[in-house]
Each structure stands twice: as C-alpha cells, then as structure tokens.
Amino acid sequence: MKKAALLAGVVAAALVSASGFASDLFDRINAGRYKAVLADCAACHTKPGGQPFAGGAPLDTPFGKLIPSNITPDRETGIGNWSYADFRGALKEGVGKGGKRLYPAMPYPAYSAMTEADIADLWAYFQKIEPVSNRVVSNQLPFPFSIRTVMIGWNLLNFSPSEFKPDPAKSAEWNRGAYLVNGPAHCGTCHTPKSLLGADKTDQFLRAGNLQSWVAPDITNDAHKGIGGWAAEDIVAYLKTGANRFDIASGPMSEVVANSTQYWTDADLTAVATYLKDIKGAGTAPPRPLDAGDPLMLAGKAIFVDRCSACHVSSGEGAPFLFPKLAKAPVVNGDDPTSLIRVVLEGSQAGTTKARPTTPAMPSFAWNLGDAEVASVLSYVRNSWGNAAPAVTPAQVKDMRTKLAR
Amino acid sequence: MVRKLPRKDVVIVGLGWTGAILAHELTDAGLDVVAIERGPWRDTATDFNVAYAPDELRYAIRKDLFLQPAQEAMTMRNNISQTALPMRDYGSFLPGTGVGGAGTHWNGHTWRFFPSDFVLKTHLTERYGAGRIADLTVQDWGVSYDELENSFDRFEYLAGISGKAGNLNGKIEAGGNPFEGPRSREYPLPPMQMTYAPTLFAEAARSIGLHPFPTPSANLSKAYVNPLGIAMGQCTFCGFCERFGCANYSKSSAHTTILPVLMRKSNFEARTECEVLKVDLASDGKTAKGVTYVDVTGELCEQPADIVLLNAYGLHNVRLMLLSKIGTPYDPATGTGTVGRNYAYQTNASTQVFFEGKNFNPFIAAGALGQTVDDYNGDAFDHAALDFVGGAGINCIPTNGRPIAYRPTPPGTPRWGSAWKKAAKQNYGNTLTFSSQGSSYAARGNYLDLDPTYKDRFGRPLLRVTFDFPDNDIRMSNWVSDRMQQIATTLGGKQAVVGRARKGWNSVPYQSTHNTGGAIMGTDPNTSAVNRHLQSWDVPNVFVVGASAFPQNAGKNPTGPVGALAFWAADAIRNHYLKNPGKLVQA
C-alpha cells in the first residue's frame, strides 16, 4: 500500500519536475522524488515487500555478498545523522559519513556524473521520507574485500569523479539522454562489461554485462548483438511499459521498469532513446551461424518445435507484448548465453506495468530437459532465423543448474 | 470456535468467470472485495505448463481440474417416484474447481442467445398459442436481448472472441449467422482458420440450403490485447481445450483476461482452498451478514460483508441458497416456491460419418474451431406444423483427436483385439463427427433440492438433481437428428451413424456441463428466485450470478450469456444498488 502511494506520488512529481530546479522546498522534495526514480534507488535499497529505502535484498557480487543500506533518515540505522556533505560525498566520491569507503555496487562511479542540483534535490527528498529503524550490516564480503580501505586503491585505478559535461556538438535531447544513461540511470552498471576488478570496461560501453547470473544484453545500436533493429519509439515503449513489439522485460530489468522507467517523463525516455541509438556497438561481423543440418541444430529444432514453438512460434517471431521475439534479439545473439540458459531452466515471469499488465510467464523446463537438450535447443535458437552466436555447451547448462540449485 | 474476520464491502463466493468480472467491476467502483474460492490457486505457466498441459490421462481421464465427489457429490434421479442416489464420479457434467472455475477447462464456444430466447414464453404464446407450451414451464428472463447487447459486447471484447457477425445493427452480413440478434459491432477478432472436416461439413450444409458459419470462439484466431491491456496469443490448434487449461495464453479464461489486473488491486483479495458453508442471514432472514467458510486448515471463519455475491457454478449457487434458507424451495407437487425451479440441461445427439481415403487430421483442433448451422435452432424456423418447440444448433467442431479417448469405429467393430486395432487405425483420420446441441425447456418435474438422506463431509445435505428429458425436447432432438441425417447423406461417406436422444437421462456418460436454472431470473417473485438484476427477491443484498439464472436453456453453450449477465449484474450494483441499497425491483 505504502509503495503504491509512493509511486503515485512519483507520477505527480514527474509533472512538477519539468519546471526544473526550484528553490521552494516543496518543489525541491518533489523534484528529488523524481530524481530518486531516475536513479532507481529503490531497486537496491528497498527489499521486496520491505519498507521503502530501509535496506535491500542481498546483492551477489563476484567478490561476495553486499546488502544495500538503510537510506531513510532514521538517526540510528539510516542516514538521519548525515550531513549534506556526507550525502554528496557518497554519491560523488564513494565516501560516506566518517570517511567510510563504499563499494562500487553502489554506482557512485555513475552518480558522480550527476549535477549538484540533482544531488541537492535528492538530499531534500531523502531527508523527508519516513524514517525506518532497520539495522543493515552492509559489508558481508570475505577478507580481504571486507576491508573498506581497499577501495582507495580501487578508486585510484578505476574511478575519476567528474560531473557530466554536455557535448556542444550534440542536441540538447542527446545530451539529456547521455546525462541520464551515464549518470542517474547508471545503465552501464549492468550493461557494460566489467574488468577483473569489477570496473566498467569503458571501451566496451553498454555492450552487455553479466551479474547475479543474468546477462544485461548489449544495448548499443549494433545491428546484430544490440538494439540496432529497434526504432527510438520501440525503446521508449519498452522502458515506459515493459514491453514492445520485440521483447518484454523480465529478470532484473523488469524491476527497473517497474520501479523506475515507467514513471519517467516521455521527454526523458525519448532523450535516452536518442542517445542509445547513437551509441556504436562493437560492429564486429556476426559469426557464421551453425549449419542447419548440424546434428546439434537438428536435435535443437526437434525440441524447439515440440516445447517452444507454441509460444515463440516456429519462425521465432513470438507474440507482441506476450512472448518475446527470439529472431534477431540482442539477448539471443550476445556472446554470453547466461540469461537464456537461466530462463529455460528456471522459467521467468515478465514484469508488470499499468500499461502492460499481462505478466506472462515461461515455465521451468529444468525438470524435463537434460543439460544436452537445453544446450541443443539454445544452440538452435542462437543460430536460426537470422541469429548467429556461439553454440551453448552442456557444461554451461550444468553450471547454471548447479548455481540455481544453491 | 468461529474466527470472525474484519468486515468487507463485498464477499464473492467462487472465483471463476463471473466472480472475476464482478470483482473487477466492483473494485473499480472503489469497493473492498474478497473472493472465496474452494479450489486451489491456478495460473498459466505454473499450473498449465506447456510441457505437461496436454496430458490426457491426468486431465481428461482422471479429471484433475474438476470437482471431485469426495469434496462434494450430488444425488440423482429421473423423477420423484425414484430414490436419488449419490454419484460415485462426475460423469454427465463436470463442474470445475479452483481459480478460474469451469472457465478454465471449457472449449470456448461463445454465443449470444437469440432475442426470442429472452422472451420465450411471450414469444411462443404469441406465435403458436398457449396450448403449445402447456407441458412446459418456460418463462421470460425479465431482461431483453437489446438490454443485454452491451453486456454481451463487453464480454466478447474482454475475451477476444473470434467470429463473423451475421447481423450488424440489423443488417444481415454474408458469412455470419443470419439468425442472430443485431450486434452493435463486429467480433473483436476474425474467425479461426477452418480445418478440413468443418470445411466439408459447411459445403454440404450450404448445398442443401442451410446457412453454416464459423463458430464464435474463445480460442483466439490472432494475438489480441483486451480492453484491460492484457495480451493473449494466437491459438495453436493443439486440440487440448475441453478438460484442459490453456498453456499458451490463447484460450480466454479469468486467468488470461482479468486476473493479472485484478490480483494487483489493493482493494481485492482472493482466498483459495476456502469452502463457503452458508450465507449468514440476520435474524429476520431478510439481510445477509456475510458468509461462513472453512479455511484450508479446517478453521471455521466468519466473513462479514455488506454485499454477498454467489458466483459459484450454477448448481452450487442453488445449493448455497437452499442451505442458507434464502428464498422458498420449489415444490414440484404444487409448482410453488422458487429456489430449485426450472432446472434445465441440454438435449444432444451426435453423428459420425465414416469415409475412406480422407485425412481429417483430427488432432489439429481447438475447442471451438468449427462450423455451426443455426437454421434449426431456437425459433429460427416455423414450428406451426411440428409437435415440439425449441431446436438445436448443428455443430461440426472436431475438438480432440486425443490418443486415449478418440477411437471412432463403425458399428459392428469388435471392442478389442486385432480387428478393433485395424478399424481404429482405418477410421482415426477418416471419420467426420458433427452433433446437435439442443434446447432444454423447463418442465414441472425437473428441479433441484436438498437430499433428505445424503450429506457432505461437513454434514450438509447434498444437492439432489431430479431430471429427465421432457417429451418436447426428445421430439425436438429426434426431428433435428433427421436433419443431421440429411446432411450426412449429402456428405457421402461409406456409412453414417446418426445419434438419437432417448428418455431416461443417465448421469454416467458425459453429455454437457451446461446445467442451467434453479435460481432463475424473472419479473415475478412467485416464479423466479432473483429479479432482472440477479438480485435475490428475498434477501436484497445477495446477488446470484451464473447459468443458475437461465429460466430455460437454449440450443447453445451458456458461457456468453453467463458473462453478459455478470456485466449486467455489475452495472445494476454499481449504478443503482450502491446509490440506494435495497430492492431494485418492487413487486
């Protein structure tokens, strides 16, 4: 209930925020509410079914477990005794109250691009939300990652705080999109590949990342692996409603749509679409698809026709707003099949928005498809109808099965 | 000890088609609504998993989605001179259980009844004289087709029905049913693509002057997004509709059309595996206070509410009224009383034509994929020279070529052994089946009441069904069987077997789940249990919605009118009752 009321407020805020930076406190709080939506603070800091911003569900990082902190203004367990400087430092520099180093699972490398005005709005808002007493022990990393000061070195290597600088050669809309994607919306946190140290590989911006056993696909304009086939309106529809004629949001992205992008202004969504359409992908030539007569493909096709084609259609076209299109889909053509293996084994339920409330679900096939069968059907999907991507191996399926069983 | 729960504005008994529609409409009106469903929660991906949904043994033979007699049985007899006995298994009809109800496992035929069906007594009396219906107790509905048109339209657009209009605002349209009442707009989706058997059937029917048309279907011919924003997919002709849940989001049911929106409303709650025992009445017996139910742990709970909606399967609506002492039980000896009155069913016969050298691929099918002829349905034809009233739709809808139960063989084939195997193989793809679905007109001796002997596991009397096919309906059905013989002859083939309805309804073989009546609607509280708004005459904060309200049954599947009545009752509650709670019709 509370969450619903909060989100309703967000919609109102979206209308107010168009007036820009306002000195009046009420306007500042409302503007901050919208900025919190843009930055999707709830995604991490609100546990499913929990109190808003009182601390989130554990994040599995390659280095161990982190629990997003309580950012309500509770004096004991939240940020009630923080100063504006503490708050600003956390967002801009990754250093919280008392010089405590944050881990970059909190996307301060992206938030550092945010304008001072936006951070001030956020501060105004987070001071006024309902304080919730909820003690969170954020750092559950194993040694040596548990030592926060290691982040000094990490930051030296991987992080140089810098506020977003508009590109005068580009349109205002493009610049707004660039600001949102690189700053508050922190799209790269999931969609950009990471180095061994967990930092963005900036030369591969938005070309697919893997975290928590999901792949955030390539969202560059690459024609094969990215969303080059999507028009700007398709991107807007996806972010606003969770579905478009190609795809329907599921996994962690469905939460992004549910908590954040569905409440964005159309102008901001269009700006993001304009910017994304201008991001060049790797541009590498697609691999040669497996031969249709390959035994792996034949085995995969038989399974696809029997188990998958009723929904996804024998041509891989899917059904609009219901069953994702598999032909020429970024997540299918990406190098990393993690999400594909996962949804076949575990099933997946699409997210919901007011505009697209269907929440269709794919059932789990872990119980009646073996590792080799999953591998062959996915290899078939990845090499049919214009798709081309490396075959999936039974070992990859086995690994995922083991992970999901944990 | 009874656990008394916090009050709600509305309590709904049963979360099938009508419960979901009413819940959606009344939560939209701002009311706080709880639905109590005795079966389990069900949803598409987890309960109708595409990998096991077409399991004939589990669903069609062992009846996984149906009410089991251990939970609630009924007793049955043909007439009052007999002693009714409890059935051991549901056979003749199959009530559903669980969220979605019978609307989960239906075939998807979605009809509007003819305009004359709603004023049947008046219409037949004017056309043929009162003497023609003296043996029957048919009545008018108290609501006209024109009044219901908008409700039919809303149900069809909610469900994404595929079909071709035959009468658009009074103009007869080629390709549709020329006998239907006027519709305000075309079906939301075009008809389904026909398979071979219905195509041949339609050609034969047309060649002898009949008017075949595509059966209106809730198996979707195309992808669709309904007015609530819920998306559905195109039917794949898998042939597993009747007795099965749809794994593909392509057969309309509460799951695929309403629940995704309803379940997210903060003013709606569904409680599953909770069985309502009775409606609780105030001491004067004129107001309902709520319902008493047993929850999944066996605890007795009292749910107070301002409005009680009975949205269970029609027969269960009637039993709950009788158990709760809402209204006066019908007495066949005197013809007085209203609850249990005008129970009706359906009068069916089937025809098989055995060919050689055809391949009908009967496994390519959907629940309502086929062709219908309505020339002999209802009062579409002149009965002046005939000895019956009513009629039947003739349908060629090959719904299932499933491996266990579909084994057509000509008469004289041995029941087992190599000769049977040979005939089964020879005839599987070579047999064309079509059937008549006939009206069931109410008669004085057909009724529902509480059994004097047998009780359920809570000690409540079972429902007693007293039914036999009235002579009028047998004459009707046999006359239509003669017409089926004509079509069969036109079709050719090496042999045709035309079925014939006979007296002595038998509760064992499956016939139809289209049980109607028992809590019928009307304009006179002496002959109807609910008024034209589905409001109990006796307890005005109780509404009873479902096929229980039909004063008699037409030669068509009832889900269309049931859906329309749900919208009709919702409108009455939203637009009239809430503003001025009390009797909506003074009598």
Side-chain angles (χ1 to χ4, degrees), chain A residues 51 54 70 72 74-78 130-135:
Chain A
Q51 300 268 46
N70 179 351
T72 69
D74 183 59
R75 297 192 68 83
E76 303 294 321
T77 63
E130 192 179 341
V132 179
S133 176
N134 180 36
R135 192 166 300 281

Side-chain angles (χ1 to χ4, degrees), chain B residues 212-368:
Chain B
F213 59 93
T215 311
S217 140
N219 326 123
L220 272 63
S221 63
K222 282 185 177 340
Y224 181 67
V225 177
N226 81 4
L228 305 187
I230 299 172
M232 294 181 67
Q234 182 176 350
C235 172
T236 59
F237 295 11
C238 78
F240 288 81
C241 289
E242 185 176 53
R243 307 189 179 204
F244 301 84
C246 180
N248 295 113
Y249 296 85
S250 49
K251 179 175 77 176
S252 312
S253 66
H255 308 99
T256 53
T257 61
I258 307 169
L259 291 173
V261 166
L262 181 62
M263 293 307 294
R264 277 172 184 79
K265 292 180 172 179
S266 56
N267 54 342
F268 176 73
E269 186 191 346
R271 288 185 207 141
T272 56
E273 305 197 55
C274 290
E275 181 158 355
V276 172
L277 298 182
K278 65 177 171 51
V279 179
D280 303 317
L281 299 187
S283 50
D284 65 358
K286 290 182 167 41
T287 314
K289 298 188 297 181
V291 302
T292 296
Y293 68 89
V294 182
D295 76 6
V296 67
T297 68
E299 187 176 10
L300 209 57
C301 304
E302 199 177 302
Q303 176 60 64
D306 291 351
I307 301 175
V308 176
L309 303 180
L310 299 185
N311 290 122
Y313 189 72
L315 292 165
H316 304 132
N317 280 345
V318 177
R319 179 167 179 245
L320 271 174
M321 290 179 80
L322 292 166
L323 289 170
S324 311
K325 304 197 184 326
I326 297 173
T328 314
Y330 173 71
D331 179 356
T334 59
T336 60
T338 58
V339 182
R341 181 186 176 88
N342 278 27
Y343 169 70
Y345 193 38
Q346 202 102 66
T347 321
N348 302 341
S350 81
T351 296
Q352 287 184 312
V353 186
F354 298 94
F355 288 88
E356 262 178 279
K358 299 273 186 211
N359 187 358
F360 292 115
N361 285 331
F363 50 88
I364 303 172

Side-chain angles (χ1 to χ4, degrees), chain A residues 199-210:
Chain A
D200 284 3
K201 292 183 178 170
T202 46
D203 58 331
Q204 296 176 40
F205 185 51
L206 302 184
R207 292 184 197 165
N210 182 325

